[in-house]
Amino acid sequence: MATQPPPANAVPDRAERSLRRVLVSPGCPRLLLLCVLLGVPIALACFFFVGLQHRFQHWVWTSLPEAAGYDAPPWWWPLPALVLAGLILAPVVTRMPGGGGHLPVNGLGGAPVGPRALPGAVLAALATLPLGVVLGPEAPLMAVGSGLALLAVRRAGAAGDPRAGAVLATAGSTAAISTILGGPVAAAVLLVEGAGLAGVQLVALLLPCLLASAAGALVFTGFGQWTGLEIGALGLRHLPPPAAPDAGDFLWGVPTAALIAVLVTLGGELGHRTVSWTRRHTAPRTVLCAAAVGVCLSAYALITGRSPAEAALSGQATLGRLAADPHAWSVGALVALVACKGLAWGIALGSMRGGPIFPAVLLGTATAVACSGLPGFGATPALALGISAAAAAVTGLPLASAVLAVLLVGEDAHDQMPLIVVASVVAFVVAQLVRPTRPAAGGSPRGEAER
C-alpha cells in the first residue's frame, strides 16, 4: 500500500515549532536583552570613532593647508600624507595582533575581530584613513562593534558558549555599521542577504542584530526631549530635481549599470593582485602602495585643476557635493575622478585597511553622472542607479544595495525604485560573470585577525 504524502503544511508547522522552542528557551531572552544593552555603548564608541576620524581629516585637509597659506590643498599634498600613512600602517600590519584588521579586498566578511586584535584595527583606521587612504570607515566600525561585543561576553563569563559569542559579535558589528548606513533596516538587510540564512537560523540571528542596532540608533535619532548626537553618516541631503524614469533612462541606464560593474570589478582585481604582491616584503611594499595611492590623487589634481581632496578619502563628502550639483562637474573631470580614484582604490583594497563600499559608491555615481548627458538620460535617475549598481557590484548583495540606494535617494526613491532595482540586478549579474573564480579569500598577510 502506497504511503500517504505528508500534509502540505507539515514542514511549516515543524519550522514554527522549532522557532517557538528557540524563542522560549532560557537563554534567548537573556541574549536579546544583552544585545539591547550592548547597542548603546557600541553606538557611542562608534560616535567617538567617527568623530575623531572627521576631526583628524579636517585638520589634515583643511586646517593644515590654510595654516600653510593655501586656500585648498595643493596638488602635491597627498604625496607626503600617503607616505606617512604607509609608514604608520606598515608596522601595524606586520607586528600587531590581527594585522590591523581585514583586508578590504575581501569585503566585509571574515571572522569577527576580537578584543586582542581590536587595538590594531582602530589604530590602522584612525591613523591612516584621515591621511587620504581611499577607503571607508565601515569595516573598522564593524571591527569596533564585534570586538566590544566579544569583550563583553568574556567579562560576563559567557565565553564558553561559542554560539552566543558569534551571535553577539555579529549583533555588535550590525549595531556599529548601522550608524553610518542610515539606521537598522539597511544594516539588517545587508546582514540577512550576506549571511545567506533562512528559517529558524535566520530569525535567531536577525532578532539580536535588529535589537542591538535599534538600541544604538537611539543615540543618534534622539529619545524624548533629547535630540541625539550628530554623526557623519552616509547621506545625501541635496539632490537634483525629481524626475520619474522614462524609456531613455532605462535605455542608457542598463548599459551604464553594466559598465559600473565592470569598473568596480576591475578595481577589485587590482586589489587582489596588490595582495599577492604585498605578501612578501610586506612592510616596504605597503609604504610603496600608499605612495602610489598618493600619486594617483595628485594626478587627479594636476589633470583637472581641482582639489586632490575630491579624490582622496572615502568619497562621502564628494558624493554629497556631486549629488547636490552634478552639473558643476565637467565630463572630463568625472572621467578623471573615476580613473584616478579607481586606480587608487584598487591599490588600497589590497594593501591598506578600511572599508570597500563608500569609495565604490562614489565611483559608480560619478560614472553614471558622466553618462547622464546622453540623450534622454536624467541626472536624478543616473545618481540613483549609480549608487545601486556600484554597491551591488562591490558587495555582491543586490537587495541590500537597492535598499541602500532607496534610503540615500530619499523622497525621490518611489519614482526611481524600478530603475534602482534593475540597475542592482544588472550590476550583480555582470560582476559575477566578469569576476574570475578564485579560492576562498584569505586574511591579511599575517593571517586572520586574532581574537
Side-chain angles (χ1 to χ4, degrees):
M1 182 177 180
T3 58
Q4 294 292 328
N9 61 346
V11 174
D13 286 345
R14 285 197 296 270
E16 185 177 343
R17 288 195 297 270
S18 179
L19 175 59
R20 188 178 294 113
R21 283 196 298 270
V22 170
L23 295 177
V24 301
S25 62
C28 185
R30 182 175 56 190
L31 182 65
L32 295 179
L33 177 61
L34 185 56
C35 288
V36 173
L37 297 177
L38 283 175
V40 173
I42 287 176
L44 286 172
C46 292
F47 168 78
F48 288 110
F49 179 93
V50 175
L52 279 175
Q53 180 198 338
H54 286 176
R55 184 176 293 272
F56 293 157
Q57 178 179 312
H58 183 270
W59 182 76
V60 172
W61 294 92
T62 303
S63 300
L64 197 56
E66 290 177 353
Y70 297 102
D71 295 331
W75 66 267
W76 52 264
W77 196 261
L79 297 175
L82 268 298
V83 170
L84 177 59
L87 292 172
I88 295 173
L89 183 62
V92 175
V93 171
T94 55
R95 297 179 181 275
M96 294 192 69
H102 300 302
L103 276 169
V105 75
N106 295 332
L108 298 178
V113 174
R116 186 162 179 257
L118 182 58
V122 172
L123 177 61
L126 285 180
T128 64
L129 292 183
L131 292 172
V133 172
V134 187
L135 293 170
E138 60 272 20
L141 281 176
M142 294 181 71
V144 170
S146 64
L148 292 180
L150 289 173
L151 181 61
V153 169
R154 294 183 181 181
R155 294 297 184 187
D161 187 353
R163 183 175 178 275
V167 171
L168 285 171
T170 307
S173 297
T174 309
I177 199 172
S178 70
T179 63
I180 55 171
L181 290 184
V185 175
V189 172
L190 186 147
L191 164 75
V192 170
E193 195 174 11
L197 305 174
V200 178
Q201 188 180 8
L202 168 63
V203 178
L205 183 60
L206 180 59
L207 291 180
C209 295
L210 276 173
L211 285 175
S213 56
L218 292 174
V219 174
F220 308 106
T221 61
F223 189 79
Q225 299 299 316
W226 184 50
T227 58
L229 300 175
E230 181 73 21
I231 192 171
L234 182 62
L236 303 179
R237 300 184 179 183
H238 305 284
L239 293 169
D246 54 23
D249 294 321
F250 281 93
L251 175 66
W252 296 115
V254 170
T256 299
L259 174 62
I260 291 170
V262 172
L263 294 175
V264 171
T265 304
L266 288 176
E269 289 308 306
L270 176 58
H272 283 288
R273 292 181 181 272
T274 306
V275 170
S276 301
W277 188 67
T278 55
R279 289 194 189 280
R280 297 179 64 239
H281 310 294
T282 302
R285 290 183 177 182
T286 296
V287 178
L288 288 175
C289 287
V293 172
V295 170
C296 294
L297 304 182
S298 294
Y300 168 78
L302 286 173
I303 293 171
T304 63
R306 302 173 71 100
S307 170
E310 293 177 346
L313 308 165
S314 68
Q316 180 180 342
T318 305
L319 178 63
R321 290 194 293 268
L322 180 61
D325 190 7
H327 301 293
W329 302 64
S330 67
V331 174
L334 291 171
V335 171
L337 177 65
V338 172
C340 297
K341 188 179 183 70
L343 185 59
W345 177 65
I347 297 171
L349 283 176
S351 57
M352 306 286 105
R353 296 297 183 270
I357 298 177
F358 282 25
V361 169
L362 175 59
L363 292 173
T365 305
T367 302
V369 172
C371 296
S372 65
L374 295 168
F377 196 11
T380 300
L383 183 74
L385 78 86
I387 296 171
S388 181
V394 73
T395 63
L397 307 175
L399 176 59
S401 301
V403 171
L404 177 62
V406 167
L407 291 175
L408 288 178
V409 174
E411 296 180 356
D412 295 340
H414 182 271
D415 292 335
Q416 307 302 330
M417 206 174 299
L419 187 59
I420 287 173
V421 173
V422 169
S424 179
V425 172
V426 169
F428 171 77
V429 172
V430 172
Q432 297 301 314
L433 292 177
V434 301
R435 181 179 295 123
T437 57
R438 56 172 48 89
S444 65
R446 299 188 60 216
E448 286 296 334
E450 301 177 35
R451 292 194 178 194

